[in-house]
Amino acid sequence: MTNVSRRRLLAAGGAAATSVTLPLWTWAPSASIAGTGAGLDPDHVWDVRADPVIERLYGEGIDKVAEVNEILEGWTTNDQPLPDGLPGYLVDFIEEARRLPAWADQGKLQLAGTFNEERYGFFLALLYTLGSGLISCAIKREAWSVYYSYGGSDMRDRIAKTTVLGYDVMDAQGWTASGRLMVNSVKTRMVHAAVRHLLPQSPHWSRVGAGQKIPISQADILVTFHSLGTWVMRKFTEWNIAPSEELAEAFLHAWNVDLHLLGVQDQYLPKDWAAAYAQYDQVMGPATGGTREGVELAQALLDSVIGEGNPLLRHELESLGRYVIGDAYADMIGFDRDPVLAPLWAGAVPLLVTSYQSTVPNIPIVSNLLPEAVHTFIKIYFSPGDPAPITLPLSNRPE
């Protein structure tokens, strides 16, 4: 651990957290899209369909996994037939997994795509990147899983891959025949299964004491969703830019459809925002905390955008990040406190929000409020194409 990481970890609360104990699962399946279900604790449920398929693939050897990656690299759009050369059992799984659920509403999915229009798009990108991206480092299991899996060794690549999926969920074109949402969701689901297969082989992950023998449970995926969709919706309300009830419902519907594509059982998908908030309140608090890995990942996330130099810009960005995510999460990832910049952001960000909602085309002081790094984050989020293909990992984090 570097001296900087050690200092930040001390700021984040001293010794690293070494376990996660989620409370007794009380959220009722009657509050879900399915309306019914066994009510099993999702912390003890994984992906019964994808996991054995991917385990079988890895059982054929890493060269076979690499070959599958190469074949699937050219498979990018929803209506595109699967390329030749894949194992039959993998073809069967993908063809099943890529289908939208019967309850998917194309009208709502198209409406959800309007979030990326000018009014909401900027704030959605800001909150996903400088908000949810940082909060992910404060989710203990997610920080451990990311850090010790292959993705933790190259944060810029991981950001590019995760933002591709995050953007597609709120892109009306992502759900069309020529879009890529279904493809990228299925690939991500396969990656999750691959991490479940590989990560238990890592002595480093096992030593952390994450309280799991298998990572990325259904509960873990729900926590990740709440750090994105639910947290963003709460932030929209806090900033007084909440969308209409119809648009908010479409936003949740799009996330629910994607969670289904990611392999989450319908009995865990909240049917409305009241159910989502209740689920958020149950799982988010116990899932978060300060860890050495989370502190280092948060710094690596900043490094991936602004580089390892420019300490003044880093300090400015940490201060803004603290304002966006709040002191509790910022303390967990060891972000700096600045008594001078804190009131500046407290006054400037509301002005920025107001200006983007007004008819005033441009207010120079507002346009220059955010550091260039934030615009870089947002540029990554809105980058066209698929610059970072989602591929199955061939190993855990390199030693």
Side-chain angles (χ1 to χ4, degrees):
M1 187 192 310
T2 66
N3 289 334
V4 172
S5 297
R6 186 174 292 106
R7 174 179 60 80
R8 291 182 180 278
L9 182 58
L10 290 172
T18 57
S19 65
V20 178
T21 302
L22 298 182
L24 179 68
W25 180 255
T26 59
W27 194 83
S30 58
S32 70
I33 286 286
T36 187
L40 296 175
D41 187 340
D43 198 35
H44 304 294
V45 179
W46 290 268
D47 193 329
V48 297
R49 185 69 181 92
D51 291 349
V53 170
I54 298 304
E55 184 175 4
R56 181 177 176 182
L57 175 62
Y58 277 84
E60 296 186 28
I62 290 300
D63 289 345
K64 186 64 175 180
V65 178
E67 178 186 329
V68 166
N69 278 337
E70 186 175 348
I71 293 172
L72 287 178
E73 186 172 352
W75 182 56
T76 58
T77 60
N78 298 333
D79 64 348
Q80 187 178 355
L82 281 172
D84 294 333
L86 295 172
Y89 63 87
L90 187 58
V91 171
D92 291 342
F93 166 74
I94 293 176
E95 291 294 2
E96 173 190 327
R98 72 192 293 188
R99 300 189 198 112
L100 291 179
W103 47 265
D105 186 319
Q106 284 292 341
K108 290 181 179 179
L109 295 178
Q110 292 296 310
L111 180 59
T114 64
F115 256 89
N116 274 334
E117 294 180 352
E118 183 174 347
R119 179 182 177 188
Y120 290 109
F122 174 85
F123 294 109
L124 193 63
L126 173 65
L127 292 173
Y128 273 169
T129 52
L130 197 57
S132 300
L134 295 176
I135 291 174
S136 70
C137 301
I139 299 171
K140 290 179 282 189
R141 284 181 179 171
E142 184 166 348
W144 289 322
S145 293
V146 169
Y147 188 89
Y148 291 110
S149 63
Y150 189 82
S153 62
D154 186 344
M155 283 301 289
R156 186 173 183 86
D157 180 71
R158 184 176 187 273
I159 291 168
K161 290 176 179 178
T162 54
T163 52
V164 162
L165 186 61
Y167 177 81
D168 283 349
V169 173
M170 292 298 110
D171 179 15
Q173 299 306 310
W175 303 94
T176 64
S178 60
R180 60 191 182 183
L181 190 280
M182 277 84 94
V183 169
N184 284 334
S185 295
V186 172
K187 287 183 177 181
T188 300
R189 182 178 179 181
M190 292 166 61
V191 169
H192 287 169
V195 171
R196 292 188 201 101
H197 173 74
L198 289 172
L199 203 53
Q201 302 172 32
S202 165
H204 307 291
W205 180 78
S206 300
R207 190 169 58 245
V208 165
Q212 291 180 302
K213 292 184 178 179
I214 304 172
I216 316 181
S217 68
Q218 300 259 298
D220 293 327
I221 299 176
L222 289 172
V223 168
T224 298
F225 152 64
H226 287 304
S227 73
L228 288 155
T230 309
W231 180 82
V232 164
M233 186 56 64
R234 282 188 160 177
K235 207 68 180 179
F236 275 143
T237 301
E238 177 187 328
W239 285 0
N240 199 30
I241 54 174
S244 67
E245 184 176 342
E246 183 182 26
L247 187 54
E249 181 183 344
F251 182 84
L252 178 60
H253 185 75
W255 268 111
N256 274 335
V257 174
D258 193 54
L259 287 169
H260 173 96
L261 291 172
L262 291 172
V264 177
Q265 297 179 14
D266 291 356
Q267 67 167 317
Y268 300 124
L269 306 182
K271 66 180 180 181
D272 53 33
W273 280 111
Y277 291 143
Q279 197 179 86
Y280 175 103
D281 289 341
Q282 176 168 12
V283 300
M284 276 299 290
T288 57
T291 66
R292 176 184 67 82
E293 294 83 357
V295 168
E296 292 195 17
L297 285 174
Q299 292 303 309
L301 190 152
L302 298 185
D303 288 342
S304 70
V305 177
I306 64 176
E308 296 185 9
N310 205 336
L312 291 178
L313 180 57
R314 176 182 294 271
H315 181 74
E316 182 184 36
L317 192 57
E318 286 194 20
S319 179
L320 176 57
R322 175 175 285 276
Y323 173 82
V324 172
I325 65 178
D327 286 334
Y329 288 135
D331 286 345
M332 292 175 190
I333 59 176
F335 267 25
D336 291 340
R337 289 177 178 265
D338 189 309
V340 175
L341 287 176
L344 171 65
W345 298 127
V349 174
L351 178 59
L352 179 70
V353 172
T354 301
S355 74
Y356 265 79
Q357 294 185 91
S358 71
T359 56
V360 179
N362 184 43
I363 303 176
I365 188 173
V366 172
S367 301
N368 294 323
L369 282 175
L370 299 181
E372 182 60 29
V374 174
H375 294 287
T376 303
F377 267 107
I378 293 172
K379 183 179 180 180
I380 292 173
Y381 177 82
F382 280 115
S383 60
D386 191 352
I390 298 172
T391 56
L392 297 172
L394 304 181
S395 67
N396 289 315
R397 184 187 180 100
E399 296 293 337

mmCIF file of all heavy atoms in Angstrom, residues 218-254:
data_model
loop_
_atom_site.group_PDB
_atom_site.id
_atom_site.type_symbol
_atom_site.label_atom_id
_atom_site.label_comp_id
_atom_site.label_asym_id
_atom_site.label_seq_id
_atom_site.Cartn_x
_atom_site.Cartn_y
_atom_site.Cartn_z
ATOM 1 N N GLN A 218 -27.339 -12.087 -6.419
ATOM 2 C CA GLN A 218 -28.442 -11.247 -6.901
ATOM 3 C C GLN A 218 -28.561 -9.984 -6.045
ATOM 4 O O GLN A 218 -28.850 -8.897 -6.558
ATOM 5 C CB GLN A 218 -29.742 -12.037 -6.875
ATOM 6 C CG GLN A 218 -29.749 -13.284 -7.726
ATOM 7 C CD GLN A 218 -30.470 -13.121 -9.046
ATOM 8 O OE1 GLN A 218 -31.658 -12.847 -9.089
ATOM 9 N NE2 GLN A 218 -29.741 -13.297 -10.132
ATOM 10 N N ALA A 219 -28.292 -10.109 -4.755
ATOM 11 C CA ALA A 219 -28.337 -8.936 -3.876
ATOM 12 C C ALA A 219 -27.276 -7.923 -4.274
ATOM 13 O O ALA A 219 -27.518 -6.707 -4.253
ATOM 14 C CB ALA A 219 -28.149 -9.355 -2.422
ATOM 15 N N ASP A 220 -26.085 -8.398 -4.624
ATOM 16 C CA ASP A 220 -25.011 -7.491 -5.027
ATOM 17 C C ASP A 220 -25.386 -6.714 -6.288
ATOM 18 O O ASP A 220 -25.084 -5.520 -6.404
ATOM 19 C CB ASP A 220 -23.719 -8.277 -5.271
ATOM 20 C CG ASP A 220 -23.154 -8.893 -3.996
ATOM 21 O OD1 ASP A 220 -23.315 -8.273 -2.929
ATOM 22 O OD2 ASP A 220 -22.574 -9.985 -4.078
ATOM 23 N N ILE A 221 -26.027 -7.368 -7.243
ATOM 24 C CA ILE A 221 -26.447 -6.677 -8.468
ATOM 25 C C ILE A 221 -27.519 -5.644 -8.143
ATOM 26 O O ILE A 221 -27.525 -4.537 -8.693
ATOM 27 C CB ILE A 221 -26.944 -7.677 -9.518
ATOM 28 C CG1 ILE A 221 -25.823 -8.648 -9.906
ATOM 29 C CG2 ILE A 221 -27.448 -6.949 -10.768
ATOM 30 C CD1 ILE A 221 -26.253 -9.741 -10.869
ATOM 31 N N LEU A 222 -28.423 -5.984 -7.216
ATOM 32 C CA LEU A 222 -29.452 -5.021 -6.810
ATOM 33 C C LEU A 222 -28.821 -3.802 -6.143
ATOM 34 O O LEU A 222 -29.256 -2.665 -6.379
ATOM 35 C CB LEU A 222 -30.444 -5.692 -5.858
ATOM 36 C CG LEU A 222 -31.383 -6.728 -6.480
ATOM 37 C CD1 LEU A 222 -32.170 -7.452 -5.392
ATOM 38 C CD2 LEU A 222 -32.333 -6.082 -7.490
ATOM 39 N N VAL A 223 -27.802 -4.033 -5.302
ATOM 40 C CA VAL A 223 -27.114 -2.905 -4.665
ATOM 41 C C VAL A 223 -26.499 -1.999 -5.734
ATOM 42 O O VAL A 223 -26.589 -0.766 -5.654
ATOM 43 C CB VAL A 223 -26.046 -3.406 -3.680
ATOM 44 C CG1 VAL A 223 -25.135 -2.261 -3.239
ATOM 45 C CG2 VAL A 223 -26.701 -4.042 -2.463
ATOM 46 N N THR A 224 -25.866 -2.598 -6.735
ATOM 47 C CA THR A 224 -25.287 -1.801 -7.821
ATOM 48 C C THR A 224 -26.363 -0.994 -8.533
ATOM 49 O O THR A 224 -26.168 0.193 -8.834
ATOM 50 C CB THR A 224 -24.565 -2.712 -8.825
ATOM 51 O OG1 THR A 224 -23.493 -3.388 -8.158
ATOM 52 C CG2 THR A 224 -23.999 -1.900 -9.982
ATOM 53 N N PHE A 225 -27.511 -1.615 -8.809
ATOM 54 C CA PHE A 225 -28.620 -0.883 -9.437
ATOM 55 C C PHE A 225 -29.036 0.302 -8.577
ATOM 56 O O PHE A 225 -29.228 1.419 -9.076
ATOM 57 C CB PHE A 225 -29.820 -1.805 -9.657
ATOM 58 C CG PHE A 225 -31.142 -1.089 -9.658
ATOM 59 C CD1 PHE A 225 -31.439 -0.148 -10.639
ATOM 60 C CD2 PHE A 225 -32.088 -1.327 -8.671
ATOM 61 C CE1 PHE A 225 -32.654 0.540 -10.628
ATOM 62 C CE2 PHE A 225 -33.293 -0.649 -8.650
ATOM 63 C CZ PHE A 225 -33.583 0.295 -9.633
ATOM 64 N N HIS A 226 -29.175 0.075 -7.282
ATOM 65 C CA HIS A 226 -29.634 1.166 -6.414
ATOM 66 C C HIS A 226 -28.609 2.290 -6.328
ATOM 67 O O HIS A 226 -28.975 3.453 -6.138
ATOM 68 C CB HIS A 226 -29.964 0.626 -5.028
ATOM 69 C CG HIS A 226 -31.224 -0.182 -4.982
ATOM 70 N ND1 HIS A 226 -32.437 0.322 -5.410
ATOM 71 C CD2 HIS A 226 -31.455 -1.463 -4.594
ATOM 72 C CE1 HIS A 226 -33.382 -0.600 -5.268
ATOM 73 N NE2 HIS A 226 -32.799 -1.693 -4.785
ATOM 74 N N SER A 227 -27.316 1.950 -6.478
ATOM 75 C CA SER A 227 -26.299 3.007 -6.484
ATOM 76 C C SER A 227 -26.358 3.815 -7.777
ATOM 77 O O SER A 227 -25.772 4.902 -7.856
ATOM 78 C CB SER A 227 -24.906 2.395 -6.311
ATOM 79 O OG SER A 227 -24.485 1.715 -7.487
ATOM 80 N N LEU A 228 -27.051 3.302 -8.761
ATOM 81 C CA LEU A 228 -27.216 3.981 -10.044
ATOM 82 C C LEU A 228 -28.628 4.563 -10.140
ATOM 83 O O LEU A 228 -28.849 5.730 -9.827
ATOM 84 C CB LEU A 228 -26.957 2.999 -11.186
ATOM 85 C CG LEU A 228 -25.500 2.588 -11.388
ATOM 86 C CD1 LEU A 228 -25.405 1.226 -12.069
ATOM 87 C CD2 LEU A 228 -24.772 3.632 -12.230
ATOM 88 N N GLY A 229 -29.585 3.753 -10.545
ATOM 89 C CA GLY A 229 -30.927 4.259 -10.818
ATOM 90 C C GLY A 229 -31.617 4.906 -9.637
ATOM 91 O O GLY A 229 -32.117 6.036 -9.738
ATOM 92 N N THR A 230 -31.666 4.221 -8.505
ATOM 93 C CA THR A 230 -32.415 4.755 -7.362
ATOM 94 C C THR A 230 -31.720 5.972 -6.777
ATOM 95 O O THR A 230 -32.376 6.980 -6.449
ATOM 96 C CB THR A 230 -32.589 3.671 -6.285
ATOM 97 O OG1 THR A 230 -33.113 2.487 -6.891
ATOM 98 C CG2 THR A 230 -33.552 4.141 -5.209
ATOM 99 N N TRP A 231 -30.404 5.898 -6.628
ATOM 100 C CA TRP A 231 -29.674 7.046 -6.078
ATOM 101 C C TRP A 231 -29.817 8.261 -6.988
ATOM 102 O O TRP A 231 -30.013 9.393 -6.510
ATOM 103 C CB TRP A 231 -28.201 6.696 -5.892
ATOM 104 C CG TRP A 231 -27.393 7.824 -5.322
ATOM 105 C CD1 TRP A 231 -27.286 8.184 -4.009
ATOM 106 C CD2 TRP A 231 -26.611 8.770 -6.055
ATOM 107 N NE1 TRP A 231 -26.477 9.292 -3.872
ATOM 108 C CE2 TRP A 231 -26.047 9.669 -5.120
ATOM 109 C CE3 TRP A 231 -26.317 8.934 -7.408
ATOM 110 C CZ2 TRP A 231 -25.217 10.717 -5.501
ATOM 111 C CZ3 TRP A 231 -25.491 9.984 -7.784
ATOM 112 C CH2 TRP A 231 -24.953 10.866 -6.843
ATOM 113 N N VAL A 232 -29.744 8.055 -8.294
ATOM 114 C CA VAL A 232 -29.888 9.162 -9.239
ATOM 115 C C VAL A 232 -31.281 9.776 -9.131
ATOM 116 O O VAL A 232 -31.423 11.008 -9.123
ATOM 117 C CB VAL A 232 -29.612 8.690 -10.678
ATOM 118 C CG1 VAL A 232 -30.134 9.704 -11.698
ATOM 119 C CG2 VAL A 232 -28.123 8.477 -10.890
ATOM 120 N N MET A 233 -32.317 8.947 -9.035
ATOM 121 C CA MET A 233 -33.675 9.487 -8.929
ATOM 122 C C MET A 233 -33.839 10.292 -7.644
ATOM 123 O O MET A 233 -34.479 11.355 -7.632
ATOM 124 C CB MET A 233 -34.690 8.354 -8.989
ATOM 125 C CG MET A 233 -36.146 8.821 -9.041
ATOM 126 S SD MET A 233 -36.496 9.949 -10.419
ATOM 127 C CE MET A 233 -36.186 8.887 -11.828
ATOM 128 N N ARG A 234 -33.239 9.821 -6.559
ATOM 129 C CA ARG A 234 -33.290 10.589 -5.311
ATOM 130 C C ARG A 234 -32.534 11.909 -5.460
ATOM 131 O O ARG A 234 -32.957 12.937 -4.921
ATOM 132 C CB ARG A 234 -32.697 9.763 -4.161
ATOM 133 C CG ARG A 234 -33.632 8.705 -3.627
ATOM 134 C CD ARG A 234 -33.097 8.038 -2.379
ATOM 135 N NE ARG A 234 -34.167 7.386 -1.632
ATOM 136 C CZ ARG A 234 -34.000 6.683 -0.529
ATOM 137 N NH1 ARG A 234 -32.789 6.534 -0.016
ATOM 138 N NH2 ARG A 234 -35.017 6.132 0.089
ATOM 139 N N LYS A 235 -31.443 11.877 -6.202
ATOM 140 C CA LYS A 235 -30.667 13.096 -6.398
ATOM 141 C C LYS A 235 -31.440 14.085 -7.262
ATOM 142 O O LYS A 235 -31.409 15.299 -7.019
ATOM 143 C CB LYS A 235 -29.322 12.748 -7.050
ATOM 144 C CG LYS A 235 -28.219 13.744 -6.724
ATOM 145 C CD LYS A 235 -27.845 13.681 -5.255
ATOM 146 C CE LYS A 235 -26.744 14.672 -4.921
ATOM 147 N NZ LYS A 235 -26.397 14.630 -3.489
ATOM 148 N N PHE A 236 -32.125 13.592 -8.275
ATOM 149 C CA PHE A 236 -32.970 14.465 -9.087
ATOM 150 C C PHE A 236 -34.003 15.163 -8.206
ATOM 151 O O PHE A 236 -34.274 16.359 -8.376
ATOM 152 C CB PHE A 236 -33.693 13.658 -10.169
ATOM 153 C CG PHE A 236 -32.891 13.447 -11.421
ATOM 154 C CD1 PHE A 236 -32.974 12.241 -12.108
ATOM 155 C CD2 PHE A 236 -32.074 14.426 -11.935
ATOM 156 C CE1 PHE A 236 -32.246 12.023 -13.264
ATOM 157 C CE2 PHE A 236 -31.339 14.230 -13.087
ATOM 158 C CZ PHE A 236 -31.426 13.024 -13.756
ATOM 159 N N THR A 237 -34.592 14.434 -7.291
ATOM 160 C CA THR A 237 -35.589 15.026 -6.387
ATOM 161 C C THR A 237 -34.937 16.052 -5.476
ATOM 162 O O THR A 237 -35.466 17.149 -5.262
ATOM 163 C CB THR A 237 -36.259 13.917 -5.558
ATOM 164 O OG1 THR A 237 -36.879 12.969 -6.427
ATOM 165 C CG2 THR A 237 -37.309 14.509 -4.627
ATOM 166 N N GLU A 238 -33.753 15.705 -4.933
ATOM 167 C CA GLU A 238 -33.035 16.618 -4.046
ATOM 168 C C GLU A 238 -32.677 17.913 -4.765
ATOM 169 O O GLU A 238 -32.740 18.998 -4.177
ATOM 170 C CB GLU A 238 -31.762 15.936 -3.536
ATOM 171 C CG GLU A 238 -30.891 16.807 -2.653
ATOM 172 C CD GLU A 238 -29.570 16.133 -2.327
ATOM 173 O OE1 GLU A 238 -29.532 14.886 -2.232
ATOM 174 O OE2 GLU A 238 -28.558 16.854 -2.178
ATOM 175 N N TRP A 239 -32.297 17.799 -6.042
ATOM 176 C CA TRP A 239 -31.918 18.974 -6.814
ATOM 177 C C TRP A 239 -33.114 19.660 -7.480
ATOM 178 O O TRP A 239 -32.942 20.585 -8.260
ATOM 179 C CB TRP A 239 -30.885 18.578 -7.878
ATOM 180 C CG TRP A 239 -29.519 18.337 -7.315
ATOM 181 C CD1 TRP A 239 -29.131 18.440 -6.015
ATOM 182 C CD2 TRP A 239 -28.347 17.962 -8.051
ATOM 183 N NE1 TRP A 239 -27.801 18.151 -5.886
ATOM 184 C CE2 TRP A 239 -27.282 17.857 -7.111
ATOM 185 C CE3 TRP A 239 -28.086 17.713 -9.398
ATOM 186 C CZ2 TRP A 239 -25.986 17.515 -7.494
ATOM 187 C CZ3 TRP A 239 -26.791 17.356 -9.771
ATOM 188 C CH2 TRP A 239 -25.753 17.266 -8.835
ATOM 189 N N ASN A 240 -34.293 19.176 -7.165
ATOM 190 C CA ASN A 240 -35.519 19.784 -7.674
ATOM 191 C C ASN A 240 -35.603 19.759 -9.202
ATOM 192 O O ASN A 240 -36.078 20.700 -9.830
ATOM 193 C CB ASN A 240 -35.664 21.232 -7.169
ATOM 194 C CG ASN A 240 -37.093 21.735 -7.267
ATOM 195 O OD1 ASN A 240 -38.044 20.949 -7.170
ATOM 196 N ND2 ASN A 240 -37.253 23.032 -7.479
ATOM 197 N N ILE A 241 -35.125 18.657 -9.789
ATOM 198 C CA ILE A 241 -35.254 18.474 -11.240
ATOM 199 C C ILE A 241 -35.893 17.124 -11.534
ATOM 200 O O ILE A 241 -35.645 16.502 -12.569
ATOM 201 C CB ILE A 241 -33.897 18.582 -11.965
ATOM 202 C CG1 ILE A 241 -32.863 17.623 -11.348
ATOM 203 C CG2 ILE A 241 -33.387 20.005 -11.981
ATOM 204 C CD1 ILE A 241 -31.548 17.588 -12.119
ATOM 205 N N ALA A 242 -36.717 16.660 -10.598
ATOM 206 C CA ALA A 242 -37.355 15.355 -10.768
ATOM 207 C C ALA A 242 -38.205 15.347 -12.030
ATOM 208 O O ALA A 242 -38.927 16.312 -12.319
ATOM 209 C CB ALA A 242 -38.212 15.026 -9.552
ATOM 210 N N PRO A 243 -38.142 14.285 -12.815
ATOM 211 C CA PRO A 243 -38.944 14.191 -14.034
ATOM 212 C C PRO A 243 -40.412 13.973 -13.709
ATOM 213 O O PRO A 243 -40.787 13.727 -12.557
ATOM 214 C CB PRO A 243 -38.354 12.967 -14.739
ATOM 215 C CG PRO A 243 -37.840 12.115 -13.619
ATOM 216 C CD PRO A 243 -37.319 13.084 -12.597
ATOM 217 N N SER A 244 -41.242 14.016 -14.725
ATOM 218 C CA SER A 244 -42.662 13.744 -14.537
ATOM 219 C C SER A 244 -42.849 12.313 -14.051
ATOM 220 O O SER A 244 -41.963 11.461 -14.188
ATOM 221 C CB SER A 244 -43.407 13.936 -15.861
ATOM 222 O OG SER A 244 -43.003 12.941 -16.800
ATOM 223 N N GLU A 245 -44.003 12.050 -13.493
ATOM 224 C CA GLU A 245 -44.285 10.703 -12.997
ATOM 225 C C GLU A 245 -44.177 9.675 -14.119
ATOM 226 O O GLU A 245 -43.659 8.565 -13.921
ATOM 227 C CB GLU A 245 -45.682 10.665 -12.376
ATOM 228 C CG GLU A 245 -46.043 9.326 -11.750
ATOM 229 C CD GLU A 245 -47.396 9.354 -11.061
ATOM 230 O OE1 GLU A 245 -47.899 10.452 -10.774
ATOM 231 O OE2 GLU A 245 -47.949 8.258 -10.811
ATOM 232 N N GLU A 246 -44.648 10.054 -15.304
ATOM 233 C CA GLU A 246 -44.599 9.136 -16.448
ATOM 234 C C GLU A 246 -43.159 8.832 -16.853
ATOM 235 O O GLU A 246 -42.799 7.678 -17.109
ATOM 236 C CB GLU A 246 -45.358 9.750 -17.633
ATOM 237 C CG GLU A 246 -45.428 8.849 -18.843
ATOM 238 C CD GLU A 246 -46.146 9.509 -20.014
ATOM 239 O OE1 GLU A 246 -46.150 10.767 -20.077
ATOM 240 O OE2 GLU A 246 -46.686 8.784 -20.863
ATOM 241 N N LEU A 247 -42.313 9.868 -16.880
ATOM 242 C CA LEU A 247 -40.924 9.669 -17.274
ATOM 243 C C LEU A 247 -40.157 8.907 -16.199
ATOM 244 O O LEU A 247 -39.317 8.052 -16.505
ATOM 245 C CB LEU A 247 -40.263 11.018 -17.556
ATOM 246 C CG LEU A 247 -38.842 10.990 -18.138
ATOM 247 C CD1 LEU A 247 -38.782 10.132 -19.386
ATOM 248 C CD2 LEU A 247 -38.367 12.416 -18.438
ATOM 249 N N ALA A 248 -40.450 9.202 -14.938
ATOM 250 C CA ALA A 248 -39.796 8.483 -13.842
ATOM 251 C C ALA A 248 -40.153 7.002 -13.887
ATOM 252 O O ALA A 248 -39.299 6.127 -13.665
ATOM 253 C CB ALA A 248 -40.208 9.079 -12.500
ATOM 254 N N GLU A 249 -41.405 6.685 -14.196
ATOM 255 C CA GLU A 249 -41.835 5.289 -14.309
ATOM 256 C C GLU A 249 -41.116 4.603 -15.467
ATOM 257 O O GLU A 249 -40.698 3.439 -15.346
ATOM 258 C CB GLU A 249 -43.351 5.237 -14.532
ATOM 259 C CG GLU A 249 -43.900 3.824 -14.638
ATOM 260 C CD GLU A 249 -45.396 3.795 -14.922
ATOM 261 O OE1 GLU A 249 -46.064 4.841 -14.741
ATOM 262 O OE2 GLU A 249 -45.900 2.730 -15.334
ATOM 263 N N ALA A 250 -40.941 5.328 -16.571
ATOM 264 C CA ALA A 250 -40.228 4.765 -17.721
ATOM 265 C C ALA A 250 -38.762 4.511 -17.380
ATOM 266 O O ALA A 250 -38.174 3.515 -17.813
ATOM 267 C CB ALA A 250 -40.350 5.707 -18.922
ATOM 268 N N PHE A 251 -38.160 5.416 -16.612
ATOM 269 C CA PHE A 251 -36.771 5.268 -16.176
ATOM 270 C C PHE A 251 -36.596 3.973 -15.381
ATOM 271 O O PHE A 251 -35.672 3.188 -15.625
ATOM 272 C CB PHE A 251 -36.398 6.491 -15.337
ATOM 273 C CG PHE A 251 -34.976 6.528 -14.835
ATOM 274 C CD1 PHE A 251 -33.960 7.005 -15.633
ATOM 275 C CD2 PHE A 251 -34.664 6.127 -13.546
ATOM 276 C CE1 PHE A 251 -32.643 7.073 -15.163
ATOM 277 C CE2 PHE A 251 -33.365 6.183 -13.066
ATOM 278 C CZ PHE A 251 -32.350 6.659 -13.885
ATOM 279 N N LEU A 252 -37.496 3.743 -14.429
ATOM 280 C CA LEU A 252 -37.429 2.521 -13.623
ATOM 281 C C LEU A 252 -37.698 1.294 -14.489
ATOM 282 O O LEU A 252 -37.036 0.253 -14.331
ATOM 283 C CB LEU A 252 -38.442 2.591 -12.479
ATOM 284 C CG LEU A 252 -38.520 1.351 -11.581
ATOM 285 C CD1 LEU A 252 -37.181 1.063 -10.918
ATOM 286 C CD2 LEU A 252 -39.615 1.518 -10.524
ATOM 287 N N HIS A 253 -38.644 1.407 -15.420
ATOM 288 C CA HIS A 253 -38.964 0.270 -16.279
ATOM 289 C C HIS A 253 -37.746 -0.140 -17.103
ATOM 290 O O HIS A 253 -37.446 -1.342 -17.233
ATOM 291 C CB HIS A 253 -40.130 0.624 -17.209
ATOM 292 C CG HIS A 253 -40.603 -0.521 -18.048
ATOM 293 N ND1 HIS A 253 -41.353 -1.556 -17.537
ATOM 294 C CD2 HIS A 253 -40.413 -0.809 -19.367
ATOM 295 C CE1 HIS A 253 -41.612 -2.436 -18.494
ATOM 296 N NE2 HIS A 253 -41.059 -2.004 -19.614
ATOM 297 N N ALA A 254 -37.029 0.840 -17.641
ATOM 298 C CA ALA A 254 -35.836 0.527 -18.437
ATOM 299 C C ALA A 254 -34.801 -0.208 -17.596
ATOM 300 O O ALA A 254 -34.189 -1.179 -18.050
ATOM 301 C CB ALA A 254 -35.250 1.816 -19.019
#
